[in-house]
Amino acid sequence: MAADSMEIDDSLYSRQRYVLGDTAMQKMAQSSVFLSGMGGLGIEIAKNIVLAGVKTVTLHDTKQCEVWDLGINFFIRQDDVFNQRTRVEAVFPRIVELNPYVHVEKSSSTLDDNTDLSFLRKYQVRAVVRLGSFISCSAHGICVRVFCDFGDDFEVSDPTGEEPKEIFIQSITQGSPGVVTCMDNRPHGLQNGQSVLFREVNGMQELNGSTRPVTVLSPHSFSIEDTSHLRPYAHGGFFALVKTPMTFSFAPLQIHAAMLALDTFQEHESQYGLNLPRSPTARCAPSSYCGTLPVNPSSQAPVNAELVRCLSRTARGALPPLAAAVGGLASQEALKALTGKFSPLQQWVGQPVHSLPVEEFSSRGDRYDGLRACIGESMCLELHKLRVFMVGCGAIGCEMLKNFAMLGVGLAKCSGEVFITDPDLIEKSNLNRQFLFRPYHIQKPKSSTAAAATLEINPELQVDAHLHKVCPATEGTYSDAFYSRLHLVVTALDNVEARRYVDSRSVSNQKALLDSGTMGTKGHTEIIVPNLTESYNSHRDPPEEEIPFCTLKSFPAVIEHTIQWARDKFESGFTQKPSTYNLFWQTHSSVEAVLQRMQSRESLEGAFQVIKLLSKRPSQWEHCIILARLKFEKYFKKKALQLLHSFPLDTRLKDGSKYTNLYVAQSRPTSYFMPHLIRHTWLLSCVSTAGLIHMTYQPLDCVCVSFQPIETDESAKKPDQQKLALSSEEEREAITQLEGAIAARHWLQVSPMQFEKDDDANGHMDFVASASALRARMYAIEAADRLKTKRIAGKIIPAIATSTAAVAGLVALELIKVVGGYGFESFKNCFFNLAIPVVVLTETAPVKRTHIRDNISFSIWDRWTIYGHDTFTLSDFISAVKEKYGIEPTMVVHGVKMLYVPVMPGHNKRLKLTMHKLIKPPSERRYVDLTVSFVAEADEDEDRPGPPIRYHLHHTD
């Protein structure tokens, strides 16, 4: 994003643009930030701000690199410590690499009472880590502080960042006030005093384009002042919330007494060359300064003594995941100060994590001293021995690997290991958030590249990188034996189904799972612990609402419908049909054999569609243009006229509302439609379509046939939903076309395309954007710009580095608890929204037990086990279950195959058959998982399901 031209590099910033918007992005490109303090928290903030794309960042620090810094600053290396570089010199070149559009400067000047601070006026934000200014952050051991002061009159243009929803209107009354009712009683989500914008209202057209304040009457209705003088409402229309700016004012700095005492301690002891207390028994700990201090000047509440002792014991320590989480939050506050986008944090946030035994905090002179001061030596060793499997090396994955490196998770010398897998390659758009990658990594594997970058941060780690998907097809690689080597699993995935599969494997193998995700400024974490919590699969999000076929085909109402229609046309024309064509000729390699079978009237699946493509083969670029023009004629002229013929504009539903809002009037000639199109959109549509035809069907003269309406029954099924008998004339035509292709030896080379949204040169988005815009014009729907079309068509999840860093930090904090064997009440799931900002910590859902009968019950974590042998019969299996678990199975199922259901004919005879004969396992298979049911209580009719039973085929297993 060049600051002088204000052009936004969409290939780099596309995901962030959907979070902040172009106005905020352009403000950032003109803004400068001064950041003082290159410790663990400071480097997190620097990384996030530079990735975001400000104009200038000045890094300030006066300290020299120490071994200690290797455990808190991921951009300091052993070589920097050995050569006695300053921290700012060490991190400077690595920060510069993060974003070519950001100018980075460094400073080692002393800032004290004698320093002229007038130079700070050129900076829009002064983010000072440890010292107070516009944004002040500090992390002392397990306590943190964030303070924002944006002045007395700080205006926020968009407090929440939520995109206003368009709600369709059912009715508007004429009266004082007029009452608006939502279509289908949909909730409007409005509050008194807010305003809405009306659009596309028929009848009461004076409302269109106007903004009206609302008074809420019910969840699905509201009033809008006097409408009695307006024309009666007819039909249609929608409204959307109008966002109004908010003004925030900031009180003077008020901080917790313990943190204030710590500042006082530092200021006092610095006179004697001392620093923060290095151990729990250090003299002059902060508690000696704050024993009776009030929390703040307006409160006389005493200080929490335990909090003070905890802070004093760990004050010089550093907890990298906490710095990551708070760094994400503080970075977002800096972006708010630059852009006026989202509601700022008002004053400080702090949270202690846990109090630990004091005897384990002593320094050992290595990179983990800061961590050791917070969690103790025993916990550090457990982290070093950890074997972790992380699925996904995207934005969250990169942040998690950084946290692993800082915590020393999976050290080779301790027999620990980090396994990572991701099949994807690095793209330019990844560089905005996935900070381990650089431009020279583009098109290289994410997993191996991330592994190499992680080892640069901490060479002591053992990282094993794979390129596999984790799915049923790779169970050979990620088998139960593989899971048995692990301590826990981490998911860093966007795909919900993939996360569910990983969760099922983790539950099956009794492994803790740490799951997280982000969408824009929102983030969530979920902690899943064997035998304590529910799993990811224990809850289901509401399914995505699918657009009905008739809506997509004939009656779109909102821009999402036209975009999906265009996306479907791309899939049909340039992916599905070419793939079908290639598959057909892979199955039928001889053209002459196909012709003979068709001449003998033999039915060949897909033959007519393939021959139709073959008959329209383009031989040169001009033919591609002709085909594209005919496509335009078909979709934006003939289809419209056919629809108007079948459903005239005066067609009405039972409630009297109009059936369609098609823009083209039936009484007007087709020439009326063309001048009213945006001409460059029409041209772009034809050119992009022709280009895709050329690339897909790899170079027919055509004639334009006048429109003749077809008498249709719209209630009939689609042609592809029913078997239609081909006439002899159609068969003869297909045979003739195939004979002509053979005679001309003019074959069709087809290259199916996969939709790629991020390559502007491939024409994919040109086709979807222009086709969607043309269809929107047909139906009087406001067209979306290219950016919005790309987000919807590509199903892009908005993302920003700040929330990614925060969520990974929170997950890593929970990882420490899992490794430490903490109790159920210590684990916390989290939801946050940095835009508001709000952070909500909740208890994890306790595991539920399912009662079968008597005192027999099970949970999702239970799996029963039976060992068999080659001659083990079904009757033996049932008896073994009864003997071992005290209950007799009434049904046994393997996958989708019912092995034993007593009421089924012939099933009782199976009791004498061996399990091998019934299951027919592959020779290398050692076990199978069976589903069983049991007789319920006496007063219940249905059997109760039980836990899965793993049946080992050989007793030696």
Side-chain angles (χ1 to χ4, degrees):
M1 179 169 55
D4 52 352
S5 65
M6 292 294 96
E7 293 182 2
I8 299 174
D9 185 350
D10 188 66
S11 62
L12 177 65
Y13 290 113
S14 61
R15 277 52 172 178
Q16 184 174 288
R17 288 177 77 179
Y18 296 122
V19 181
L20 298 177
D22 286 1
T23 300
M25 293 284 292
Q26 290 165 353
K27 286 182 179 179
M28 284 198 306
Q30 297 175 304
S31 301
S32 300
V33 176
F34 181 85
L35 178 58
S36 179
M38 289 293 101
L41 184 53
I43 198 65
E44 288 281 355
I45 297 173
K47 164 181 63 77
N48 296 335
I49 290 177
V50 170
L51 288 173
V54 299
K55 179 182 179 181
T56 303
V57 173
T58 299
L59 308 175
H60 173 265
D61 196 281
T62 59
K63 292 185 176 181
Q64 185 174 301
C65 294
E66 303 178 36
V67 173
W68 176 284
D69 290 307
L70 296 174
I72 64 174
N73 187 315
F74 50 83
F75 277 160
I76 292 178
R77 306 288 182 258
Q78 186 72 46
D79 182 65
D80 299 320
V81 177
F82 180 79
N83 290 294
Q84 299 183 335
R85 296 188 181 99
T86 63
R87 296 199 301 190
V88 73
E89 288 175 331
V91 305
F92 175 76
R94 297 173 182 112
I95 288 290
V96 169
E97 279 190 322
L98 291 176
N99 194 332
Y101 292 114
V102 179
H103 178 67
V104 183
E105 300 174 349
K106 63 179 184 292
S107 170
S108 299
S109 302
T110 301
L111 298 181
D112 55 25
D113 293 341
N114 299 319
T115 304
D116 180 6
L117 299 179
S118 60
F119 75 94
L120 290 174
R121 293 192 183 119
K122 68 177 181 179
Y123 298 99
Q124 282 70 43
V125 169
R126 278 82 82 185
V128 183
V129 182
R130 265 193 62 242
L131 305 175
S133 188
F134 281 107
I135 300 177
S136 175
C137 318
S138 60
H140 295 298
I142 59 174
C143 295
V144 295
R145 173 180 59 192
V146 179
F147 170 80
C148 300
D149 184 356
F150 300 164
D152 295 331
D153 232 7
F154 182 73
E155 184 174 275
V156 174
S157 60
D158 182 358
T160 66
E162 297 291 337
E163 186 174 349
K165 294 181 179 179
E166 295 177 343
I167 308 295
F168 287 98
I169 297 169
Q170 180 74 42
S171 64
I172 307 176
T173 64
Q174 276 184 303
S176 182
V179 176
V180 180
T181 303
C182 304
M183 180 76 74
D184 299 327
N185 286 334
R186 286 191 60 187
H188 49 64
L190 299 172
Q191 298 177 9
N192 288 336
Q194 291 181 325
S195 297
V196 296
L197 175 68
F198 288 92
R199 304 187 60 180
E200 299 182 17
V201 175
N202 291 280
M204 202 174 282
Q205 296 173 343
E206 297 91 339
L207 289 178
N208 289 332
S210 68
T211 300
R212 304 295 175 102
V214 307
T215 300
V216 174
L217 302 178
S218 75
H220 50 266
S221 65
F222 57 89
S223 62
I224 56 167
E225 302 177 337
D226 189 5
T227 59
S228 58
H229 59 287
L230 306 181
R231 283 177 285 183
Y233 172 79
H235 63 86
F238 59 87
F239 63 86
L241 173 68
V242 176
K243 294 195 172 185
T244 55
M246 293 180 63
T247 301
F248 291 80
S249 60
F250 293 79
L253 180 64
Q254 297 177 1
I255 57 175
H256 197 285
M259 301 292 275
L260 180 61
L262 193 62
D263 291 342
T264 307
F265 174 84
Q266 288 181 268
E267 182 179 353
H268 176 80
E269 298 301 327
S270 63
Q271 302 175 45
Y272 308 102
L274 301 177
N275 208 318
L276 290 170
R278 289 179 177 266
S279 73
T281 57
R283 304 177 76 175
C284 298
S287 55
S288 63
Y289 284 93
C290 60
T292 58
L293 283 176
V295 173
N296 61 57
S298 63
S299 171
Q300 297 301 315
V303 171
N304 183 316
E306 178 57 32
L307 174 61
V308 173
R309 283 193 294 272
C310 184
L311 175 58
S312 67
R313 287 200 304 266
T314 65
R316 195 173 184 272
L319 197 56
L322 192 59
V326 177
L329 186 150
S331 306
Q332 191 68 57
E333 295 307 305
L335 300 185
K336 294 174 186 178
L338 297 174
T339 64
K341 178 99 174 183
F342 308 138
S343 303
L345 175 73
Q346 294 189 284
Q347 314 319 340
W348 60 270
V349 173
Q351 181 181 353
V353 180
H354 195 62
S355 179
L356 295 164
V358 298
E359 60 271 12
E360 293 204 344
F361 291 1
S362 58
S363 172
R364 284 165 171 74
D366 61 14
R367 68 190 299 147
Y368 305 109
D369 272 352
L371 176 64
R372 189 176 290 111
C374 294
I375 67 174
E377 172 65 7
S378 296
M379 187 79 80
C380 285
L381 290 175
E382 291 301 317
L383 291 171
H384 300 341
K385 294 186 292 184
L386 208 58
R387 289 189 296 276
V388 180
F389 180 36
M390 187 174 75
V391 186
C393 297
I396 294 176
C398 285
E399 293 286 342
M400 285 303 303
L401 285 171
K402 176 251 306 177
N403 291 333
F404 290 164
M406 306 310 289
L407 292 171
V409 169
L411 298 191
K413 64 183 180 182
C414 298
S415 300
E417 191 164 8
V418 176
F419 302 90
I420 59 176
T421 186
D422 194 313
D424 292 342
L425 302 180
I426 298 165
E427 300 174 357
K428 185 177 180 180
S429 62
N430 301 146
L431 305 183
N432 177 236
R433 304 168 316 285
Q434 300 171 24
F435 85 102
L436 295 180
F437 306 142
R438 303 291 178 266
Y440 50 82
H441 291 142
I442 291 175
Q443 289 305 300
K444 292 184 178 180
K446 285 187 176 182
S447 59
S448 56
T449 306
T454 303
L455 292 176
E456 289 184 15
I457 299 174
N458 188 345
E460 298 178 355
L461 263 66
Q462 179 75 25
V463 184
D464 186 5
H466 300 174
L467 303 177
H468 306 303
K469 287 185 177 181
V470 180
C471 60
T474 58
E475 277 194 21
T477 302
Y478 304 118
S479 62
D480 290 345
F482 170 80
Y483 276 89
S484 69
R485 300 165 54 195
L486 304 175
H487 293 108
L488 58 86
V489 180
V490 177
T491 50
L493 298 165
D494 292 332
N495 187 287
V496 173
E497 290 308 312
R499 289 156 79 176
R500 294 199 182 282
Y501 176 75
V502 175
D503 174 74
S504 65
R505 297 288 289 143
S506 299
V507 171
S508 174
N509 288 278
Q510 297 275 309
K511 301 301 173 185
L513 174 67
L514 306 180
D515 181 70
S516 60
T518 67
M519 187 172 68
T521 58
K522 299 173 184 176
H524 76 273
T525 66
E526 184 171 6
I527 315 306
I528 298 160
V529 184
N531 302 307
L532 292 180
T533 71
E534 291 286 82
S535 74
Y536 184 85
N537 282 304
S538 298
H539 53 80
R540 295 270 175 175
D541 295 329
E544 289 188 17
E545 189 174 330
E546 293 187 0
I547 305 172
F549 172 77
C550 60
T551 300
L552 281 179
K553 182 186 178 187
S554 303
F555 305 110
V558 293
I559 193 62
E560 285 80 3
H561 297 164
T562 71
I563 294 173
Q564 186 60 52
W565 175 87
R567 182 75 169 79
D568 290 349
K569 292 303 174 189
F570 179 96
E571 288 293 321
S572 173
F574 306 114
T575 303
Q576 294 170 358
K577 289 180 181 178
S579 297
T580 301
Y581 181 92
N582 285 345
L583 182 62
F584 181 86
W585 292 117
Q586 288 171 8
T587 307
H588 308 281
S589 56
S590 171
V591 185
E592 289 77 10
V594 170
L595 179 60
Q596 289 179 357
R597 292 172 69 178
M598 292 188 66
Q599 288 172 337
S600 62
R601 300 183 66 85
E602 184 177 343
S603 177
L604 295 178
E605 185 178 357
F608 289 95
Q609 186 181 39
V610 165
I611 294 172
K612 184 178 180 181
L613 285 176
L614 189 60
S615 69
K616 293 183 178 181
R617 61 192 182 278
S619 59
Q620 54 189 359
W621 169 249
E622 288 77 5
H623 294 168
C624 296
I625 291 288
I626 292 171
L627 285 174
R629 178 64 179 84
L630 290 175
K631 286 287 185 184
F632 174 85
E633 193 82 10
K634 174 182 177 181
Y635 290 127
F636 304 114
K637 178 182 176 183
K638 293 181 180 178
K639 291 282 187 181
L641 294 175
Q642 177 62 51
L643 185 64
L644 285 170
H645 173 79
S646 303
F647 299 94
L649 288 179
D650 57 359
T651 302
R652 295 185 177 273
L653 299 173
K654 292 180 180 179
D655 62 1
S657 60
K658 298 186 75 172
Y659 193 50
T660 176
N661 62 340
L662 192 66
Y663 185 77
V664 192
Q666 182 187 17
S667 59
R668 295 182 175 128
T670 56
S671 59
Y672 172 82
F673 184 64
M674 284 299 299
H676 285 73
L677 290 172
I678 306 172
R679 290 191 177 275
H680 80 271
T681 305
W682 169 78
L683 181 62
L684 179 62
S685 177
C686 285
V687 171
S688 63
T689 304
L692 292 173
I693 291 172
H694 184 272
M695 288 185 286
T696 305
Y697 299 102
Q698 300 179 5
L700 208 222
D701 291 326
C702 307
V703 295
C704 188
V705 182
S706 60
F707 169 72
Q708 294 293 330
I710 303 170
E711 299 301 330
T712 61
D713 177 8
E714 282 293 317
S715 65
K717 292 183 178 180
K718 290 176 56 186
D720 60 357
Q721 291 178 323
Q722 56 183 343
K723 296 279 187 179
L724 294 180
L726 290 163
S727 66
S728 57
E729 181 181 348
E730 290 173 312
E731 290 177 341
R732 285 195 297 270
E733 182 181 357
I735 292 171
T736 301
Q737 291 170 345
L738 186 56
E739 289 173 334
I742 294 174
R745 298 191 178 278
H746 187 174
W747 212 239
L748 183 60
Q749 301 297 320
V750 178
S751 299
M753 293 186 177
Q754 298 300 320
F755 181 71
E756 175 49 59
K757 58 190 175 295
D758 288 320
D759 183 358
D760 287 339
N762 63 14
H764 297 190
M765 276 307 305
D766 291 337
F767 174 86
V768 172
S770 57
S772 169
L774 289 170
R775 189 165 176 83
R777 181 72 177 179
M778 277 177 61
Y779 287 87
I781 298 170
E782 183 180 6
D785 60 23
R786 184 184 178 91
L787 189 66
K788 181 176 180 179
T789 303
K790 179 178 175 180
R791 175 177 64 81
I792 296 171
K795 298 182 179 180
I796 294 175
I797 299 175
I800 190 169
T802 51
S803 53
T804 301
V807 83
L810 291 166
V811 168
L813 287 173
E814 296 302 315
L815 179 146
I816 294 173
K817 298 178 188 178
V818 172
V819 173
Y822 282 39
F824 171 80
E825 66 282 351
S826 298
F827 298 112
K828 294 290 185 288
N829 291 337
C830 179
F831 170 81
F832 66 75
N833 187 345
L834 300 183
I836 302 179
V838 63
V839 179
V840 179
L841 298 173
T842 63
E843 291 185 353
T844 55
V847 64
K848 298 177 182 177
R849 299 200 65 82
T850 300
H851 178 74
I852 301 177
R853 67 177 187 182
D854 302 328
N855 59 345
I856 302 174
S857 63
F858 69 96
S859 77
I860 57 170
W861 297 101
D862 291 322
R863 184 178 61 207
W864 294 354
T865 305
I866 296 295
Y867 290 89
H869 48 75
D870 290 347
T871 60
F872 205 74
T873 65
L874 175 59
S875 178
D876 293 334
F877 172 81
I878 293 173
S879 299
V881 173
K882 183 177 181 181
E883 180 180 350
K884 188 172 182 179
Y885 298 104
I887 190 168
E888 182 176 332
T890 55
M891 184 175 71
V892 183
V893 178
H894 176 226
V896 296
K897 181 181 179 181
M898 292 185 291
L899 302 183
Y900 177 62
V901 181
V903 297
M904 296 288 288
H907 273 223
N908 283 323
K909 295 180 181 179
R910 294 184 176 184
L911 291 170
K912 296 180 180 180
L913 299 179
T914 65
M915 295 293 284
H916 272 70
K917 188 168 185 178
L918 287 170
I919 297 171
K920 297 180 175 61
S923 58
E924 70 278 4
R925 190 76 177 180
R926 297 171 55 196
Y927 61 82
V928 293
D929 290 326
L930 304 176
T931 302
V932 294
S933 295
F934 302 95
V935 175
E937 302 288 355
D939 57 345
E940 296 185 19
D941 296 330
E942 295 185 0
D943 290 350
R944 290 286 186 92
I949 295 182
R950 176 156 294 180
Y951 173 66
H952 290 263
L953 299 163
H954 307 285
H955 190 73
T956 53
D957 292 337

